[in-house]
Every structure is written in structure tokens, then in C-alpha cells.
Amino acid sequence: MSNRFTDALFQLVHSLEKSEKRHFKLYIKRSSANEDLKIIRLFDALDKLPEYDEKLLLKKLPDIKKPQLANIKTHLYKQLLGSLRLLKATENIDLQLSEHLDHARVLYNKGLKLQSLKILEKAKEIARSNQKFNFLAQVISLEKKIETLHITRSSTEKTLVLAEEAQEISSHIDRVTRLSNLALLLYRWFVLNGHARNPEDEQDLIKFFREYLPADINAVNGFYEKLYLYQSYSWYAFIKQDFLMYYKYGQKWIDLYNEHPLMKEVETGHYIKGMHNLLNAHFDLRNFKKFDITLKQFEEFSKTPVATHHDNFRTHTFIYINSAKVNQHLMQGTFREGLALVPEIEEKLEEYALFVDQHRILVFNYKIATLHFGNGEYEKCIDYLQRIINGPIDLRIDLQCYARLLHMLAHYEMGNYELMESLSKSVFRFMARMKNITVVEEEMLRFLRNSFGVSPRELRPELEKFLNKIKHLEKNRFETRAFAYLDIISWTESKVYQKPMREVVYEKYIKSKHRGTVVA
């Protein structure tokens, strides 16, 4: 998958829809020169290639020599972007605002200052109604320049208003920048390290969080400031494994969009991510009823024109909805039904290969492996885990560790006891090196090492002891990730009560459902 898209131009061509390709042909032929006809042939050749192969490409274009190819590719890339910008200008607020600003600058440079100011006023109205304060700062900057350098017959009152607007927007942008930086860096922390592993990790996290929070946090106002504040608190709570706080701010995130429905069209990507996080919070808290309601709302949204408008939105709604569906089956113990989703998921991941990052593929591989494990298909479970274990280890250290633990459990279930000693040592060394081992994992590794070759009659009391030990740790915040990533309690109960794991999980689901949701 990673070798298919190695050339930027090839990626761009293969990301185009039929309507975009058709528009490009019309766009380029309006003022076609000989060079432009060459780029059309290059475009057609790239479009037909399943993979980027420069030798094959040159063979298909005999009139283009290798030294010429780089320049023609650059020209085609620019023309494609120009065509897309023209086609998408009316569909995107940012592009519309940029066009207004470009026109205002052109008019100003022509000496038509009053016309320029008129367009800038219109741009300001659009920017304000769509909460685009970064763009507003550019508009006011040009307005101030015109008012400072020229006599425009503007009132002195207007210049005072401009100065006040500039100051207000500057403060707003500063808060948005700090909060968006905080949200981004917390997300980076999680992707690299996963959850806080111990009190030292948590203290580092708290210190980092407090340092980045704006000093004037009480002044936070407006859509973007609140959005990034809620995102920051969501990631902060998730890393700390404070799932009630994670749920609280995930819900605030979505409520913010319900208060400003227009922003679903302006900032669709953040809404999609918010729905994903809210579903994760319901999953972590086992809020079965609210999980079902939120998933249904998300599926309905995924069919709207807003959600299907862009490749990114289509890709991410598919990924997050199917991730939630897999989580739903993991919660309910319906592992076999969950595995029925896998062929379509894998087909779509291949189709969306250009847009899907390695982190998302890693998460899907782990979830699919967990479904196979819960369904008793241990060889298939190992196949998916090998994709993680043999892949790069610079992402999600926590998942890297749990993939190795689940891999060891799958071999244990298959009766490969001759491998267990070396596997347990290898897993312990890896987790210790990654500073990712907790009491639950230590107890688990100790139990597995001591259970090799023990008769079934002698094993049951040992399983009961192990179950009691880990159940006592279930409420410990630094141990909860072990139960979220690997349902070791349900697995142990399946051994103690001699039931399939899917039955144990399903029975818990039915009992919890009858009791109601965790969060009121």
C-alpha cells in the first residue's frame, strides 16, 4: 500500500474525481499551446498507470525526453491546482475569502482604493459570519494600510473602529493559536506514547497542560476558541484515562456545533473528529444506549452532502463509523458479526490508500486481531498482530505492547507451550524497554509463565487467584488501559467458568444494558 503512491503528481491525478478530470480538460484546452497538449498526454498516461513507473511513463510518451519530464510534470501540477481552485472556489469559504482579498489587492494596486475598500468590507462580513478571524486579520491589515497611506474620505470614527477591531482580533488569534497548539501537541503525545503510564507521566502531562493554557482563559469566547479548548481538555482527559472528563468535553465539542450549525459546513473535519471522540468516550464508559444513539446520528450525517463533499470527509467518516461498529461488537461480544465487516473495511482501506495514515491502519489491524481472538480464531489473530509487530514501532507504543501480549495469549490458546517461555521473556523485555509495563501486565506474564504444563484441575484455582488479583486493579486509573485494550478479565472468566469468551462478554453487555448507561 505504501509503495503505490510515491510521486506527488501521480497522487494528485489519482485523487481526482470524474467531474474534476473533465473540468481540467476543458480548463486547459481553452488556451491550449503545444506545451499544454503535452501535459494532457502526460495527464492521460498517469491516469492509466496503476503505479508510478517513470520508465513505463516515458515509453508511453516517446516525444517527451527524460530531461524534459520534470518541467512538464511541474507545469501539469500547477495547471491541475489552478483548475481545482477555479472549480472549488464557490464550494469553500476559505477559497472565496482568498479570492475577495486577491481582488482587493489587484484593485488597490491599480489605484482604485475605494473599490478595494468596498470589497474588503464585503469580505469582513463573510469572515465574521463564518468565524474566520485569521482571515479577518489580513483584511483589516490591508484596510489599515490603505487608510494610513491615502486620503479615502473615511471618517475618523472608522479609523478608531479599525484600530479597536485589530486589537480585539489580535487577542483572539493569540488565544486560538495557543489552544490549537495545545490540542495538537497533546494529540502528538498520545500518538507517540498512548495513555499516561504512571504518576510521573501524569505529572509531566499536568505541567505541560498548565504551561500551554492561555493566561486569560476566562476570556475564551467564540467558536474556535471554545473548539480548541474542548479539544485540548478531551485529549488531556483521554491521556490521563479520566474517561468521565473525556466524555464531558467530547459532548461539549459536539454541543458547540449544535449551537453553531453553520460551522458543520465550515469546519466539517473537526465535527467528524468530535463525533469519533464522543463515540470513543461512550465505548470507554460502556454507555451502550448513548453509543447507539451517537452512532446513528453519525451515520445519518455521513449521508449528507456536507459529509460526502470531499475525499477527506468521505474517508474519515467511513473510517470512524466502521471503527465504532467494530467497538460495538467488541462491547457486545458479537465477534463473529464484527468479523463480517472486515472484508469491506479492508477493501475501502485499499481504495482510500492515498488518504489513510499508518496510525489508522495500525489501529484497525489491532481491532480486527481482537475480534478474531474473541471468536477463537487464534491463527488469524496472529496474522493481523504480525502486521503490527513486524511494522515500524514509532507509533502508538501502547498498541505495540498490547499486540505482543495478545500475540502471546493467542499462542497460549493454541497450546504452543514450547514458545511461551521465550515469548514471555521477549514481551517483558519489550514492554520494560518501552516503559510500558503496569501491574496488570506483570501479573498476567507471571500467571502465564507459572501455568505452563499445569494440569486443568490444578489450573482452575490458579486462574481464580489471577482473576481476583486483576479485578482489584480494575478501578486503578493507571491500570484501566490494560482492560480497555485487552479484555483480560473476560478472557480469564471464560477460562474459570469454561465458557467461550464471546458468551462472557455478551452476558456482561446484557446485564449492563438492563442496568442502564454509566453516565446519566
Side-chain angles (χ1 to χ4, degrees), residues 245-431:
M245 181 190 277
Y246 180 47
Y247 161 74
K248 175 185 173 183
Y249 281 97
Q251 188 63 60
K252 280 178 175 285
W253 184 337
I254 296 305
D255 289 344
L256 182 66
Y257 275 94
N258 294 333
E259 292 167 19
H260 303 273
L262 176 65
M263 298 308 290
K264 286 183 185 179
E265 295 181 30
V266 179
E267 287 294 351
T268 313
H270 283 298
Y271 178 74
I272 291 168
K273 187 73 173 181
M275 291 296 282
H276 170 61
N277 280 13
L278 184 56
L279 281 165
N280 276 348
H282 290 318
F283 172 71
D284 290 326
L285 290 168
R286 296 302 189 261
N287 288 339
F288 299 112
K289 187 176 179 181
K290 290 189 177 184
F291 184 98
D292 293 346
I293 292 168
T294 304
L295 179 56
K296 186 178 179 182
Q297 289 172 346
F298 198 10
E299 287 184 290
E300 287 171 357
F301 171 77
S302 72
K303 298 168 188 172
T304 63
V306 174
T308 57
H309 192 62
H310 286 230
D311 293 319
N312 276 333
F313 303 156
R314 282 193 293 273
T315 304
H316 286 116
T317 50
F318 170 80
I319 286 172
Y320 293 146
I321 286 171
N322 279 278
S323 179
K325 285 180 178 178
V326 170
N327 281 346
Q328 192 172 43
H329 289 295
L330 291 173
M331 284 195 297
Q332 296 175 0
T334 49
F335 304 120
R336 185 179 292 112
E337 292 82 352
L339 287 167
L341 300 172
V342 172
E344 185 188 359
I345 290 172
E346 294 193 318
E347 182 184 334
K348 288 291 185 181
L349 287 176
E350 182 68 19
E351 181 185 335
Y352 297 149
L354 178 60
F355 313 107
V356 180
D357 59 81
Q358 286 300 311
H359 171 239
R360 194 53 51 194
I361 293 168
L362 182 149
V363 172
F364 266 120
N365 282 333
Y366 186 81
K367 287 182 184 294
I368 294 168
T370 308
L371 285 173
H372 280 298
F373 183 86
N375 204 44
E377 299 173 358
Y378 304 115
E379 286 188 10
K380 289 182 179 178
C381 169
I382 287 169
D383 288 341
Y384 279 92
L385 293 173
Q386 291 286 8
R387 299 180 186 183
I388 301 171
I389 293 167
N390 297 328
I393 60 168
D394 57 344
L395 281 177
R396 293 297 299 277
I397 292 169
D398 55 341
L399 275 188
Q400 297 287 344
C401 291
Y402 286 110
R404 285 159 174 79
L405 274 172
L406 189 59
H407 177 258
M408 184 174 65
L409 272 183
H411 278 292
Y412 180 85
E413 286 284 18
M414 291 170 69
N416 296 332
Y417 301 128
E418 70 280 1
L419 297 174
M420 295 307 296
E421 187 171 355
S422 63
L423 276 177
S424 64
K425 287 179 180 177
S426 172
V427 171
F428 182 83
R429 281 196 304 269
F430 183 85
M431 295 186 78

Side-chain angles (χ1 to χ4, degrees), residues 131-225:
Q131 309 267 344
K132 293 292 183 180
F133 291 99
N134 277 330
F135 181 84
L136 202 54
Q138 295 180 61
V139 174
I140 290 174
S141 177
L142 183 52
E143 272 191 302
K144 285 164 66 179
K145 179 179 178 179
I146 295 172
E147 295 288 357
T148 303
L149 295 177
H150 306 281
I151 298 171
T152 61
R153 299 189 181 89
S154 294
S155 67
T156 54
E157 186 64 28
K158 181 180 177 182
T159 56
L160 181 61
V161 169
L162 265 180
E164 289 173 350
E165 280 182 330
Q167 187 60 47
E168 178 192 340
I169 289 166
S170 176
S171 299
H172 169 82
I173 290 173
D174 177 64
R175 285 192 296 272
V176 168
T177 300
R178 293 201 67 184
L179 287 167
S180 61
N181 282 349
L182 177 56
L184 179 65
L185 291 171
L186 286 168
Y187 181 57
R188 176 181 179 272
W189 180 314
F190 177 70
V191 169
L192 291 175
N193 304 307
H195 297 289
R197 298 161 289 187
N198 47 52
E200 291 76 23
D201 271 3
E202 187 177 78
Q203 284 306 310
D204 288 344
L205 178 68
I206 292 169
K207 182 182 176 185
F208 175 83
F209 187 74
R210 287 175 178 168
E211 284 177 357
Y212 265 88
L213 269 181
D216 55 345
I217 193 68
N218 293 328
V220 165
N221 194 20
F223 177 83
Y224 282 101
E225 291 182 51

